[in-house]
Amino acid sequence: MKLNAASEMIPVTWPEFSNLHPFVPTNQTEGYQQIFKELEAYLSEITGFEACSLQPNSGLQGEYTLSADDQSLS
C-alpha cells in the first residue's frame, strides 16, 4: 500500500484545487493546465527524460482517469 506524507496532502485540502468539478469546460481550466504543463516540463528537465506523465497509474484515480478518457473517445 502506498502512503503519502501528510505534508504532500495539504494542497488537496485547498478549496482552489479541490473544488474543481470533473466535467468543467476545458476553457475554464487554463490555470490548472498551465500548472500541469510547467510541472511536466520541470520533471522532464530534472530527470533528463524527454517527457513525463502526471497520469495516475492505479487505484481509484487511475480508474477515473481511464473512464474519463474512454468517454472522450466515444
Side-chain angles (χ1 to χ4, degrees), residues 38-56:
E38 289 178 9
L39 179 57
E40 289 174 345
Y42 294 148
L43 291 173
S44 295
E45 183 178 338
I46 290 168
T47 61
F49 291 128
E50 186 175 319
C52 73
S53 172
L54 301 177
Q55 177 179 337

Side-chain angles (χ1 to χ4, degrees), residues 2 4 10 13 15 22-23 25 28-29 31-32 45 47 51-52 54 56-58 60 63 66 68 72:
K2 179 183 173 190
N4 295 316
I10 291 172
T13 66
F23 298 115
Q28 295 179 17
T29 63
Y32 287 91
E45 183 178 338
T47 61
C52 73
L54 301 177
N57 293 321
S58 63
L60 182 58
E63 296 296 328
L66 179 60
S72 68

